Amino acid sequence: MSDEIYKEIILDHYKNPHNFHKLKDPDFKAEDTNPLCGDHVEFSVKLQDGRVSEVGFIGRGCAISQAAASILTDLVQGKTIEELQKMEKEDLLEAMGNPDLGPVRIKCAMLSFKTLKLGLYSYLSSKSSHT
Amino acid sequence: METVAFNVEELRNDFPILSKKFNGKTLAYLDNAATSQKPRQVIKAICDFYEGYNANIHRGVYEIEEKATMKYERTREATSRFIGAESAEQIIFTRNTTESINLVAKTWGASNIRKGDKIVVSLLEHHSNVVPWQVLAKEKGALLEYINLKEDSTIDLDDFKEKIAGAKLLAITQASNVLGTLVPVKQMTSIAHQEGCTVLVDGAQSAPHMPVSMTDIGCDFFAFSSHKMLGPTGVGVLYGKREILDAMPPYNLGGDMISEVHKWDVTWNELPWKFEAGTSNIADVIAYYHAIEYLQRLGMERVREHEKSLTKYALKRLSEIKGLRYYGPDDIEMRGGIISFTLGDVHPHDIASILSREAIAIRSGYHCAQPLHEELSLGGTARASFYIYNTEEEVDRLAEALNEVRKVFAK
């Protein structure tokens, strides 16, 4: 059976997710749910010297949403805040092996990307309002 | 009407989409609870209208206008006969089942439901038979109660009898779009009426699949859609008891639903046009006639028999798959042709995506019935649902593909 969506890398991350835990005292965290299918992700991020020093996620849902979250945690590890801001959804899709996702399933993949970005921006805006 | 033989292989030829290839494979369409496929008789009727006699209805007196009006009203009469209604004037065309239910909530509901009144629904309801009542109850300060299910996924009639006492409205489905459960709406209507309670039956999943009769059920309202029964999208039906429809305020206001309009005053048109404001979905209503005719020629008893035997076969094949669990009644007499299932801990979207590669179309998710999934503590389910053109061979393809899914996700 040909399953261009379910590439080895996606199944690997789904079955054995990386960084699957919640961080204690994170600098910021963010969670969101895709109401259509109930996919859920929650990220927690620690920063040191303007870089991601540690990142974790927990969640449940389909293979695409959970693999995307796991791959995203690997992708952002060690990145500067500026690099995080510049990161685009194509970067995540590329790291996932550019699976052939249709217009519906792409939302599953983008849930984690959107959630982490929103978390980052609310962290940055709360920081700038404090200084 | 003259009936024809129920020959699945032959009738499949009437459905152009069923012979098309997807990923090099013939489509196994198993999402009929969402919408059905359309026979060429229906598709042709839409073309014939636009090419041959496109005109607005109930207005002019020229030839093609009269033809369009005649054909439009012919569908109303056919619909009335199809559901055993007392008269065609009690058939109102809407956009879909959802709009039919909303029409009742916004007109009958707004003028009859008061503070402290009780509205009773069941845990089986589709969102479209929950949300309008939830919102109405909040607006009016009324109470919304849910009838529980028994272990075997059928309606708990003892719980129903308790909750219906003193209720103002019972809004209940005749067939669950998730569990396939068939609901004894005739018996429940009779009990509800003894309480002076008005009854709305959601027939979206029943009218396309089995014989239904308004005079037999005795309900006050009945709602269903053309597109789930071989007809075009954009046509819904609302049946209502005449005295109730007569007393109801109109729904949308404007052209066609009035009889006289003066600068400061208006009188409403008579039934059913009082509820059909503005230009209707003329082409699709006209084409819907051919869907009804198609089903009636097959015979609704035989439609039901075909689905029963296919569902029985599917339950047997699916129960052979390791890790698969299906939901809903085991008793084939108590369920329609809908099977929702889970496969180990594989997410339903992943199941549906992999099946799609095999050109097998099933639904995944909550199927617009989130309260039911919450009650059953289910994150979501995959769902196969059958109709007249489905075959045991397609069920075999489904079973085979599900075994493949199991292998892809084996840890």
Side-chain angles (χ1 to χ4, degrees):
Chain A
M1 185 179 297
S2 74
D3 296 303
E4 295 87 1
I5 294 186
Y6 297 95
K7 292 170 179 293
E8 214 45 45
I9 180 171
I10 288 177
L11 289 171
D12 281 350
H13 276 268
Y14 174 60
K15 291 172 187 173
N16 300 298
H18 300 184
N19 307 307
F20 194 78
H21 52 255
K22 220 173 176 166
L23 301 186
K24 265 189 190 163
D25 308 315
D27 288 289
F28 70 86
K29 54 183 185 176
E31 63 177 310
D32 203 3
T33 301
N34 177 347
L36 189 72
C37 44
D39 291 342
H40 180 85
V41 290
E42 181 182 338
F43 289 92
S44 42
V45 179
K46 270 189 185 178
L47 301 166
Q48 206 173 353
D49 305 327
R51 282 181 187 276
V52 175
S53 61
E54 215 180 330
V55 53
F57 90 98
I58 54 169
R60 63 186 151 68
C62 69
I64 303 299
S65 73
Q66 300 305 300
S70 171
I71 291 168
L72 185 62
T73 59
D74 283 351
L75 199 63
V76 301
Q77 190 71 44
K79 287 231 177 353
T80 65
I81 287 176
E82 204 183 21
E83 284 169 331
L84 278 191
Q85 284 175 295
K86 278 191 188 150
M87 199 170 69
E88 306 221 18
K89 60 178 197 272
E90 285 74 19
D91 298 326
L92 174 60
L93 290 173
E94 199 189 322
M96 293 172 74
N98 286 319
D100 180 20
L101 300 167
V104 176
R105 297 307 301 277
I106 194 139
K107 288 181 189 148
C108 304
M110 284 305 127
L111 174 67
S112 55
F113 182 84
K114 197 184 76 183
T115 305
L116 191 68
K117 281 268 186 177
L118 281 173
L120 175 71
Y121 286 118
S122 65
Y123 164 75
L124 292 174
S125 68
S126 74
K127 244 188 106 193
S128 64
S129 66
H130 287 163
T131 51
Chain B
M1 185 173 297
E2 171 203 354
T3 55
V4 294
F6 197 108
N7 181 329
V8 177
E9 284 314 318
E10 224 160 82
L11 71 83
R12 283 178 71 88
N13 293 328
D14 289 328
F15 294 80
I17 202 169
L18 297 180
S19 59
K20 296 232 156 65
K21 302 274 184 194
F22 299 86
N23 293 322
K25 296 169 184 109
T26 308
L27 175 67
Y29 185 76
L30 303 175
D31 194 16
N32 293 285
T35 195
S36 74
Q37 296 301 341
K38 323 300 176 199
R40 63 177 87 252
Q41 291 86 336
V42 168
I43 300 166
K44 181 175 175 292
I46 297 172
C47 283
D48 286 350
F49 169 73
Y50 285 123
E51 290 179 0
Y53 56 101
N54 174 43
N56 212 327
I57 51 172
H58 303 141
R59 284 168 175 80
V61 288
Y62 46 92
E63 190 185 336
I64 58 169
E65 188 282 344
E66 283 176 344
K67 185 174 178 188
T69 301
M70 189 273 288
K71 293 252 190 183
Y72 182 90
E73 293 302 332
R74 179 178 78 159
T75 306
R76 199 188 307 277
E77 278 152 29
T79 308
S80 169
R81 282 194 302 275
F82 183 75
I83 61 165
E86 296 86 348
S87 73
E89 289 76 39
Q90 291 160 261
I91 302 297
I92 296 157
F93 289 125
T94 60
R95 284 187 301 143
N96 44 43
T97 307
T98 299
E99 191 179 42
S100 296
I101 297 173
N102 273 276
L103 190 158
V104 176
K106 293 252 164 73
T107 58
W108 182 88
S111 49
N112 286 279
I113 296 292
R114 297 192 174 79
K115 191 172 187 223
D117 281 349
K118 188 159 68 170
I119 301 171
V120 177
V121 299
S122 84
L123 277 170
L124 294 174
E125 303 316 311
H126 186 281
H127 291 164
S128 61
N129 202 24
V130 170
V131 180
W133 309 121
Q134 210 180 63
V135 170
L136 181 69
K138 276 183 189 156
E139 277 169 10
K140 300 280 186 173
L143 310 166
L144 182 64
E145 293 210 43
Y146 289 84
I147 307 164
N148 290 322
L149 303 181
K150 292 196 296 190
E151 280 289 305
D152 65 357
S153 304
T154 60
I155 289 279
D156 183 341
L157 286 172
D158 292 332
D159 188 51
F160 159 68
K161 283 172 192 161
E162 232 166 77
K163 283 174 178 155
I164 204 67
K168 197 76 177 274
L169 174 72
L170 170 66
I172 184 123
T173 185
Q174 190 173 12
S176 159
N177 73 318
V178 178
L179 300 177
T181 306
L182 299 180
V183 176
V185 288
K186 179 182 178 179
Q187 185 191 356
M188 292 170 79
T189 297
S190 146
I191 295 168
H193 279 169
Q194 284 166 24
E195 292 288 328
C197 173
T198 300
V199 179
L200 176 143
V201 173
D202 173 356
Q205 300 292 351
S206 59
H209 303 281
M210 64 183 78
V212 295
S213 162
M214 296 305 100
T215 47
D216 181 53
I217 297 171
C219 55
D220 302 294
F221 296 108
F222 190 83
F224 61 106
S225 294
S226 143
H227 75 94
K228 287 187 185 357
M229 50 182 287
L230 311 182
T233 52
V235 180
V237 176
L238 174 67
Y239 156 89
K241 285 253 179 76
R242 182 187 288 273
E243 59 276 18
I244 299 178
L245 292 176
D246 270 332
M248 266 157 59
Y251 177 48
N252 287 327
L253 308 173
D256 227 20
M257 53 76 63
I258 41 79
S259 103
E260 281 181 51
V261 181
H262 308 287
K263 256 181 163 171
W264 317 116
D265 202 14
V266 58
T267 49
W268 310 133
N269 201 340
E270 55 196 31
L271 286 179
W273 306 290
K274 176 172 113 179
F275 294 104
E276 292 179 10
T279 296
S280 306
N281 186 353
I282 303 165
D284 292 318
V285 167
I286 287 172
Y288 175 39
Y289 173 86
H290 297 270
I292 296 170
E293 190 182 49
Y294 196 100
L295 287 172
Q296 281 186 321
R297 285 168 67 100
L298 289 175
M300 291 310 290
E301 281 91 2
R302 292 194 292 175
V303 169
R304 169 72 180 134
E305 283 310 311
H306 169 73
E307 288 180 25
K308 245 161 73 173
S309 94
L310 200 56
T311 305
K312 200 171 162 189
Y313 180 71
L315 288 177
K316 176 178 153 284
R317 288 302 316 265
L318 293 185
S319 59
E320 292 161 3
I321 296 168
K322 212 177 141 206
L324 188 141
R325 184 171 171 205
Y326 66 79
Y327 301 88
D330 282 315
D331 181 358
I332 211 78
E333 299 300 328
M334 293 303 289
R335 76 182 296 155
I338 291 176
I339 306 175
S340 290
F341 58 92
T342 51
L343 183 57
D345 58 0
V346 182
H347 193 282
H349 279 8
D350 293 324
I351 298 176
S353 277
I354 293 183
L355 262 51
S356 168
R357 302 298 159 116
E358 296 298 304
I360 301 170
I362 64 157
R363 176 79 185 266
S364 58
Y366 293 125
H367 322 303
C368 298
Q370 207 170 345
L372 176 64
H373 280 83
E374 281 172 4
E375 183 71 16
L376 300 173
S377 302
L378 285 168
T381 49
R383 179 186 73 185
S385 52
F386 308 120
Y387 211 12
I388 53 171
Y389 35 69
N390 290 124
T391 62
E392 291 193 353
E393 188 212 330
E394 289 175 319
V395 172
D396 291 339
R397 279 175 62 191
L398 171 70
E400 214 171 288
L402 287 172
N403 272 316
E404 285 299 321
V405 172
R406 219 166 47 79
K407 282 181 206 156
V408 171
F409 283 95
K411 295 209 177 182

